[in-house]
Amino acid sequence: EVWSVLPTTGAEGLMWINQAMGAVMEGEGWTWVAKDAQGDPSAQVQFIEDAIAAGNVGAIMCAAMDVDMLEDVVADALDAGIAVAMLGADPDYPIAGNVYTAYAITGMFAVQAAEDWVAQRVAEGGNIPANADGQYEVTVDDYYDIRDGVYRSNAIVGTIEKTDSLVMVSETSSYGASAFSDAYDNAQDVLGAHPDCHIFIAYEPEEAMGAAAAIEDFC
């Protein structure tokens, strides 16, 4: 078997990645099993311990919530002959391999794209309200419960703070199975409190779609 040890199975984008990996592995004769930590990093440790005890697990793909917490159990898994690969994390201890995005850069680029959008819209005559300081309001829906989430979210917030043109008026979080509805509610609340806010930055697509639906209904 190959196990996907996940922070949640309720995040659609994360499941697309894992289902694709599972299909490839099943094509090679493996049995793919998804394990849902339900937002608890200690559950990921337990799943890897379970994999070692099971005796028929040959590989683990882990989207690690707390990379440091997994160090000892990953070493045990490697000693047991289980290949451990990580998605979205680059630990400073041995693993079999990983696929890692520079999440801080993606967060920075999201803000830079927002800056570019508002500059072009204003130049075209778009009615984007600015505050008394000439800044444009931004709301952020981010996620801090996994390491790459921390990198991206910190980069989003930090880049906004360093800009001259943007100011953050709200920071909320939504992730997992209820991400769309939570992001929808968050965006509705923001629009009620800050009707001049025209820029929404979301951690992942599901959150962005929820905010977009809220904006459509509001308008």
Side-chain angles (χ1 to χ4, degrees):
E1 294 184 353
V2 54
W3 287 11
S4 287
V5 176
L6 305 170
T8 176
T9 57
E12 188 173 14
L14 181 62
M15 289 310 296
W16 287 342
I17 295 169
N18 279 270
Q19 287 163 354
M21 183 276 290
V24 171
M25 297 295 282
E26 287 177 341
E28 297 292 331
W30 294 69
T31 298
W32 174 62
V33 180
K35 299 290 184 177
D36 186 347
Q38 299 182 358
D40 179 5
S42 66
Q44 293 194 313
V45 175
Q46 185 62 56
F47 283 139
I48 296 176
E49 290 176 348
D50 293 346
I52 296 169
N56 65 335
V57 178
I60 293 170
M61 201 295 294
C62 182
M65 298 184 68
D66 187 327
V67 173
D68 295 336
M69 184 183 291
L70 294 173
E71 182 173 2
D72 291 341
V73 75
V74 165
D76 291 341
L78 295 176
D79 287 344
I82 300 173
V84 179
M86 289 194 179
L87 172 66
D90 186 20
D92 57 5
Y93 52 80
I95 55 174
N98 68 341
V99 179
Y100 177 68
T101 300
Y103 271 73
I105 293 176
T106 65
M108 179 185 70
F109 282 173
V111 177
Q112 291 178 345
E115 278 193 289
D116 184 62
W117 175 84
V118 75
Q120 291 192 52
R121 290 293 293 123
V122 171
E124 295 164 356
N127 181 24
I128 312 298
N131 65 13
D133 296 322
Q135 296 175 305
Y136 300 96
E137 295 181 346
V138 183
T139 184
V140 176
D141 196 293
D142 48 26
Y143 182 60
Y144 289 95
D145 285 348
I146 55 177
R147 180 175 289 194
D148 49 17
V150 172
Y151 292 155
R152 176 179 285 171
S153 299
N154 282 346
I156 291 171
V157 173
T159 306
I160 291 171
E161 290 174 348
K162 291 180 180 179
T163 69
D164 295 325
S165 61
L166 305 179
V167 59
M168 188 172 71
V169 296
S170 175
E171 183 182 16
T172 58
S173 185
S174 54
Y175 191 75
S178 62
F180 182 96
S181 60
D182 289 347
Y184 178 97
D185 292 342
N186 291 339
Q188 285 278 31
D189 290 344
V190 169
L191 289 164
H194 304 279
D196 287 342
C197 183
H198 282 42
I199 302 172
F200 289 72
I201 297 177
Y203 176 75
E204 284 191 344
E206 193 74 9
E207 292 87 334
M209 290 187 287
I215 293 165
E216 181 180 16
D217 289 348
F218 181 84
C219 292

